[in-house]
Amino acid sequence: DPVMNNISDGDRILIDAEIGNVYINPGKDVVQEFKDRIDEQSAGSAPPAMMPVTETKDGVRIKLMANVNLLKDLELLGQLFCDGIGLYRSEFPFIIRKNFPTEEEQYFIYRKLADGAPSKDVTFRTLDIGGDKIPAYWESAKTGNAFLGLRSIRFSLKYKDIFTQQIRAILRAGVDCDLKIMFPMIFSLEEFMQARGMVMECVDALK
């Protein structure tokens, strides 16, 4: 078995028995994600008490949005009175794999999120990796300390092919949604304008 050949004495192994995935030496983000899932399950299956409509005492309507990391989180959304997905952290499918997901693989995940979002309202945060949070398969991570400053939107703007594939997948998946795109850790107006410009180029190309 190729998986068994990659396991050595002392390796940490995480098994997701629900869908059959095995993670060898998972990163802190992956471990924390599964710990959060266990905590949610142990808290009981009954959804928290919520009002059907969220508003202040003087009648001002407030949108109550949910944060989503995994497709499995959509099951809980169906039991809650929330107005949409306020943040989807898109890096998780990148971190748990052995290579970067293709545009089509990302589209498959994003489309399920869009279909499951209440009111078709969803905000995708683009890839937030780099520095000390980088997939093990990314060879450039071995280039030294200079790489630590290349993270979040700076990573995406440097590796534009990866960024473009993600933006295209997001736009295609959210074509019939109230779609919003969030860029992580913008440091300057120039970075924002460059990232936004690439989104608009993808919009024009997809037309």
Side-chain angles (χ1 to χ4, degrees), residues 16-91:
D16 182 355
E18 292 182 347
I19 60 176
N21 283 342
V22 176
Y23 306 97
I24 302 171
N25 293 318
K28 292 181 180 179
D29 290 348
V30 177
V31 173
Q32 187 60 50
E33 184 61 42
F34 280 90
K35 284 183 177 179
D36 291 343
R37 284 171 58 181
I38 293 172
D39 290 341
E40 290 173 4
Q41 292 170 359
S42 62
S45 59
M50 297 179 64
M51 298 294 290
V53 176
T54 307
E55 58 183 18
T56 61
K57 286 186 177 181
D58 57 354
V60 177
R61 180 75 166 89
I62 297 174
K63 279 191 173 185
L64 184 64
M65 314 292 279
N67 286 1
V68 170
N69 295 331
L70 300 169
L71 290 177
K72 186 173 176 59
D73 295 338
L74 295 175
E75 297 176 11
L76 182 59
L77 293 192
Q79 306 173 41
L80 304 177
F81 297 110
C82 64
D83 298 293
I85 297 175
L87 175 64
Y88 171 65
R89 300 179 179 92
S90 65
E91 54 270 10

Side-chain angles (χ1 to χ4, degrees), residues 2-184:
V3 174
M4 297 301 294
N5 292 336
N6 292 329
I7 298 176
S8 303
D9 289 343
D11 283 348
R12 302 178 68 211
I13 301 174
L14 188 154
I15 300 175
D16 182 355
E18 292 182 347
I19 60 176
N21 283 342
V22 176
Y23 306 97
I24 302 171
N25 293 318
K28 292 181 180 179
D29 290 348
V30 177
V31 173
Q32 187 60 50
E33 184 61 42
F34 280 90
K35 284 183 177 179
D36 291 343
R37 284 171 58 181
I38 293 172
D39 290 341
E40 290 173 4
Q41 292 170 359
S42 62
S45 59
M50 297 179 64
M51 298 294 290
V53 176
T54 307
E55 58 183 18
T56 61
K57 286 186 177 181
D58 57 354
V60 177
R61 180 75 166 89
I62 297 174
K63 279 191 173 185
L64 184 64
M65 314 292 279
N67 286 1
V68 170
N69 295 331
L70 300 169
L71 290 177
K72 186 173 176 59
D73 295 338
L74 295 175
E75 297 176 11
L76 182 59
L77 293 192
Q79 306 173 41
L80 304 177
F81 297 110
C82 64
D83 298 293
I85 297 175
L87 175 64
Y88 171 65
R89 300 179 179 92
S90 65
E91 54 270 10
F92 197 73
F94 286 77
I95 292 173
I96 65 174
R97 294 171 50 91
K98 291 186 177 181
N99 46 41
F100 280 110
T102 65
E103 179 181 330
E104 292 303 318
E105 289 170 332
Q106 291 180 71
Y107 169 79
F108 176 81
I109 297 172
Y110 302 161
R111 186 62 212 177
K112 284 186 173 294
L113 283 164
D115 287 338
S119 303
K120 289 282 190 176
D121 192 336
V122 57
T123 300
F124 289 89
R125 187 178 71 185
T126 60
L127 191 57
D128 184 14
I129 60 173
D132 58 350
K133 185 170 63 172
I134 192 74
Y137 55 77
W138 183 240
E139 289 297 324
S140 296
K142 303 174 182 178
T143 58
N145 292 335
F147 186 74
L148 294 176
L150 186 65
R151 62 175 305 162
S152 303
I153 196 62
R154 291 182 178 178
F155 180 95
S156 296
L157 293 178
K158 179 173 177 61
Y159 299 101
K160 295 181 180 179
D161 55 335
I162 297 172
F163 189 47
T164 297
Q165 287 186 38
Q166 180 175 41
I167 293 298
R168 285 175 56 90
I170 290 172
L171 291 172
R172 290 169 55 204
V175 66
D176 57 352
C177 296
D178 183 2
L179 173 67
K180 305 172 188 70
I181 297 176
M182 178 189 297
F183 304 127

Side-chain angles (χ1 to χ4, degrees), residues 177-196:
C177 296
D178 183 2
L179 173 67
K180 305 172 188 70
I181 297 176
M182 178 189 297
F183 304 127
M185 293 183 67
I186 290 286
F187 289 95
S188 68
L189 178 61
E190 181 182 0
E191 287 179 346
F192 170 74
M193 296 303 293
Q194 188 177 354
R196 184 181 184 277

